[in-house]
Amino acid sequence: YISDNLLIPILDFFYGLVPSYGLAIVALTLVIRVALYPLSAGSIRSARRMRIAQPVIQKRQAEIKSRYADDIQKQQQELGKVMKEFGSPLAGCLPLLVQMPILFALFATLRGSPFADVPYTINVKVLPAEQIAAVEPKPFNSASHSIFIGETDHVPVIASLPRGNKIGVGDSASINLHTKDGRSFADVLQGAEDPSRFAPSWSLSKGDDVLSVSADGTITALAEGDATVEAKIPGLAARSGFLFIKALGQVGFYADGAINWDIAILVGSFGVTLFLSQLLSGMGMPANPQQATANKITPFMITGMFLFFPLPAGVLLYMVIANIFQGLQTFILTKEALPENLQTILDQQKAQQTVTATATSAGTVSDSRLPFEPKGGK
């Protein structure tokens, strides 16, 4: 719903201004990120404040629980005062939860038409002929996907089996591709400039010995079992390039015995921008060795995963742009003044770490002398 009624119209608007799907992805990403700026800023502010206050909160909570171990009501009152003073650690979660549906919809939009080929997956169960008679037919409908048949011309298309996805051995059924209002996809394609360009391809990803599927989407049950039919409609811009990207719908770092260097560059850029964003989130904060280690390891782990995770190039482009925007937003918010109580705590933490570092350095120098070596100079 969000994709069809919010994101795709914005996409159409930007493509109308600049006829480039790559630029449309960049513009769509920036518009959504700017619109969600207040929500994501709330999460970043909360995380920054909790990072400073967490040690004090934990210490206060331990003291309160120890002091009022026999008085649960008093304990809850005092813990409530601590939360009121510093805020709840969960305060940053609500803005994050509110924006997640839109970000998921944006992610899904860029994985579909026009940027990538759109798959429709239909799971079919084949039953013995004597059992199928007792099964009540229930129409099966797949999820709807907006299919672009022109630069700004798109229709929501559904795959359906009118009598359901349970059939008997020896029976046949036709999988219909149609719009929400009942028009067949074949009729919709009559208005396309090149209808054959969007002709669906049919295949079986599971159950070759259970089911067969013809080029027009007719399935025939061969034997009992489960099978998965996939109809794939080509994306209008799936093979369109942008800058160094060969095809926005291209998937995979390594394919057909060759390295896709454009995918490699996008994945590497994602890792670098994620790393920089995490570094920026720690600006002005007291040193935290555990957090610093996590900030170094996490980008490498996620980047390594995306080298082999099947994401279209258009989605990776969105992720890189989103990381850059997130890094800039984090940098801006780290310059904001903290509440007075948190600034006092932060100054104390920095002063303590300076004293600790100085003492450690002095101890290291002392420990580096041999037992018989004099402590003074020569």
Side-chain angles (χ1 to χ4, degrees):
Y1 179 86
I2 294 173
S3 178
D4 288 347
N5 295 280
L6 175 65
L7 303 182
I8 289 180
I10 296 175
L11 184 67
D12 290 342
F13 172 77
F14 282 112
Y15 187 86
L17 293 178
V18 184
S20 165
Y21 280 114
L23 287 176
I25 289 176
V26 175
L28 179 62
T29 303
L30 291 176
V31 165
I32 296 304
R33 286 289 175 169
V34 169
L36 295 176
Y37 187 97
L39 291 174
S40 55
S43 298
I44 293 171
R45 288 190 184 103
S46 179
R48 182 188 179 206
R49 293 174 181 182
M50 280 300 108
R51 186 169 174 179
I52 297 170
Q54 195 65 31
V56 178
I57 292 175
Q58 291 175 345
K59 183 179 179 181
R60 294 262 194 95
Q61 287 175 335
E63 291 174 350
I64 290 170
K65 289 177 181 179
S66 175
R67 183 180 302 173
Y68 303 106
D70 299 327
D71 190 344
I72 301 300
Q73 184 175 357
K74 182 65 174 177
Q75 185 181 122
Q76 294 301 320
Q77 289 177 353
E78 294 299 318
L79 290 173
K81 291 179 182 178
V82 174
M83 290 299 102
K84 187 176 180 180
E85 180 181 354
F86 296 107
S88 171
L90 301 178
C93 295
L94 182 58
L96 188 64
L97 292 175
V98 172
Q99 64 181 311
M100 288 310 290
I102 298 177
L103 295 179
F104 281 137
L106 177 58
F107 185 85
T109 298
L110 298 178
R111 291 191 68 183
S113 184
F115 305 107
D117 298 341
V118 180
Y120 290 83
T121 302
I122 301 100
N123 295 316
V124 179
K125 189 172 186 63
V126 179
L127 301 173
E130 60 273 13
Q131 289 185 18
I132 197 65
V135 175
E136 180 183 356
K138 293 182 179 179
F140 168 84
N141 292 309
S142 73
S144 170
H145 299 282
S146 286
I147 305 298
F148 278 70
I149 59 173
E151 281 76 5
T152 57
D153 185 11
H154 41 80
V155 289
V157 175
I158 297 169
S160 68
L161 280 166
R163 295 184 59 81
N165 59 345
K166 293 180 180 179
I167 64 174
V169 175
D171 292 343
S172 295
S174 293
I175 300 175
N176 301 324
L177 293 173
H178 58 87
T179 64
K180 289 182 176 180
D181 59 8
R183 294 174 61 204
S184 72
F185 187 55
D187 290 342
V188 171
L189 290 181
Q190 296 305 313
E193 185 176 334
D194 181 9
S196 62
R197 181 180 180 182
F198 305 99
S201 61
W202 299 87
S203 63
L204 286 167
S205 57
K206 174 186 174 183
D208 291 347
D209 56 340
V210 174
L211 206 69
S212 67
V213 59
S214 64
D216 64 354
T218 299
I219 57 175
T220 302
L222 305 176
E224 296 177 39
D226 297 320
T228 301
V229 183
E230 184 175 271
K232 186 171 287 186
I233 299 177
L236 177 66
R239 287 145 193 88
S240 298
F242 176 66
L243 298 178
F244 62 88
I245 302 171
K246 291 184 292 186
L248 291 171
Q250 182 174 268
V251 176
F253 162 71
Y254 186 80
D256 300 326
I259 296 175
N260 292 321
W261 289 106
D262 51 348
I263 297 292
I265 292 171
L266 286 169
V267 173
S269 299
F270 169 80
V272 170
T273 53
L274 179 61
F275 179 73
L276 293 176
S277 181
Q278 291 190 339
L279 285 182
L280 289 171
S281 68
M283 283 182 58
M285 295 289 104
N288 185 325
Q290 291 80 13
Q291 186 67 41
T293 302
N295 287 346
K296 292 176 182 177
I297 295 175
T298 303
F300 286 103
M301 292 178 61
I302 297 178
T303 302
M305 179 183 69
F306 281 127
L307 281 175
F308 305 98
F309 194 72
L311 289 177
V315 174
L316 292 171
L317 175 62
Y318 146 70
M319 293 167 64
V320 172
I321 300 300
N323 275 355
I324 293 173
F325 186 90
Q326 179 82 3
L328 291 173
Q329 184 179 13
T330 301
F331 176 76
I332 292 170
L333 294 175
T334 56
K335 300 299 182 181
E336 285 187 351
L338 290 166
E340 186 177 346
N341 62 331
L342 291 180
Q343 186 63 53
T344 300
I345 294 172
L346 178 61
D347 293 340
Q348 291 174 348
Q349 290 173 345
K350 289 183 175 180
Q352 180 61 40
Q353 287 193 342
T354 300
V355 171
T356 303
T358 302
T360 302
S361 177
T364 302
V365 172
S366 177
D367 293 340
S368 65
R369 298 186 180 94
L370 294 175
F372 56 83
E373 208 171 354
K375 293 183 180 182
K378 290 184 180 179

